[in-house]
Amino acid sequence: MSHIRACIFDLDGVLVDTAVYHYRAWKRLANELGFDFTEDDNEKLKGISRVQSLELILGWGGVEKTPAEKLELATRKNTWYVEMIQAMTPEEILPGAKEFLAEVKAAGLKSALGSASKNSGLILERTGLLSFFDVIIDGNVVSASKPDPQVFLKGAEALQIPPNQCVVFEDAVAGVEAARAGGMKVVGIGSPEILRDADVVVNGLSGFRVNMLDAM
Ligand code: G6P
Ligand code: MG
């Protein structure tokens, strides 16, 4: 029997394929400002807040903006992003994610969302995933972004499960760090070369089973 009693899921890149929409919208913004950034750079944007992403991108382009201009740029990016996610369907749930969420529920484990996104409600609603979660912690209720563990600790607290009995599913380096800083186990979703600090790394949730948590 596993000692794990709760699963905390990142959203973008773990349950749904929105990472590509974030990338497209940020790239469009950078291009309008007269520069570009690489897919490698894009890795650094995963898991961090909208405002912090903008700061990094402006730094890459060597562009300086006033606080009011930054607000306008972040809003512009989000408008394009929301246009894309509004058209999302359950087809865009990543392979195996819905099945795994159902298995977690059937096994009597608790589930929380632990995302930096302020758009998580819309995405969960569009994809029909909302009912799988006991607790939603997202960018609307956290004040410190990953790699700060706040988002996951709030999730554990709301579920009333100690952090060491929680496992986090994450695709971002910042998210893996956040989970570790919170004293939680981490399943990395992606490449072992990038997610070096995860306890295990898989390339997606298809094929991942609740009984694999026993070994963690
Ligand atoms: C997730 C994504 C990040 C994104 C952040 C904020 O963590 O991985 O790339 O910047 O959410 O998303 P939002 O929808 O609030 O702009
Ligand atoms: Mg993510």
Side-chain angles (χ1 to χ4, degrees), residues 74-90:
T75 305
R76 207 192 299 175
K77 179 268 176 179
N78 193 56
T79 304
W80 295 328
Y81 178 68
V82 169
E83 262 167 35
M84 291 188 272
I85 59 173
Q86 242 154 8
M88 279 182 90
T89 68

Side-chain angles (χ1 to χ4, degrees), residues 10 12-13 19 22 26 45-51 53 77-78 81 85 115-120 123 139 146 171-172:
D10 173 51
D12 296 307
H22 281 297
W26 283 128
L45 303 179
K46 291 186 178 173
I48 66 168
S49 72
R50 194 181 309 162
V51 174
S53 301
K77 179 268 176 179
N78 193 56
Y81 178 68
I85 59 173
S115 168
S117 177
K118 293 186 173 177
N119 293 301
S120 74
I123 297 168
K146 301 168 188 177
D171 71 316

Side-chain angles (χ1 to χ4, degrees), residues 12-121:
D12 296 307
V14 170
L15 301 175
V16 290
D17 201 3
T18 44
V20 58
Y21 298 140
H22 281 297
Y23 180 47
R24 271 187 221 156
W26 283 128
K27 201 174 163 67
R28 181 170 170 190
L29 189 73
N31 292 170
E32 284 195 0
L33 294 170
F35 62 96
D36 205 358
F37 61 89
T38 65
E39 283 206 45
D40 271 0
D41 286 335
N42 187 57
E43 281 302 316
K44 301 183 191 114
L45 303 179
K46 291 186 178 173
I48 66 168
S49 72
R50 194 181 309 162
V51 174
Q52 285 177 315
S53 301
L54 178 67
E55 294 287 356
L56 273 185
I57 293 167
L58 293 178
W60 296 334
V63 171
E64 283 185 25
K65 294 286 176 190
T66 64
E69 287 167 333
K70 286 179 188 171
L71 184 63
E72 188 279 318
L73 292 172
T75 305
R76 207 192 299 175
K77 179 268 176 179
N78 193 56
T79 304
W80 295 328
Y81 178 68
V82 169
E83 262 167 35
M84 291 188 272
I85 59 173
Q86 242 154 8
M88 279 182 90
T89 68
E91 310 264 284
E92 284 165 90
I93 298 172
L94 286 166
K98 192 171 181 176
E99 293 75 7
F100 185 68
L101 286 167
E103 200 194 341
V104 165
K105 214 175 164 71
L109 304 180
K110 295 284 181 201
S111 286
L113 188 82
S115 168
S117 177
K118 293 186 173 177
N119 293 301
S120 74

Side-chain angles (χ1 to χ4, degrees), residues 146-173:
K146 301 168 188 177
D148 189 286
Q150 192 194 65
V151 62
F152 298 135
L153 291 175
K154 277 194 174 212
E157 194 187 347
L159 291 171
Q160 298 187 295
I161 309 253
N164 66 0
Q165 294 177 16
C166 296
V167 60
V168 169
F169 293 80
E170 253 299 344
D171 71 316
V173 174

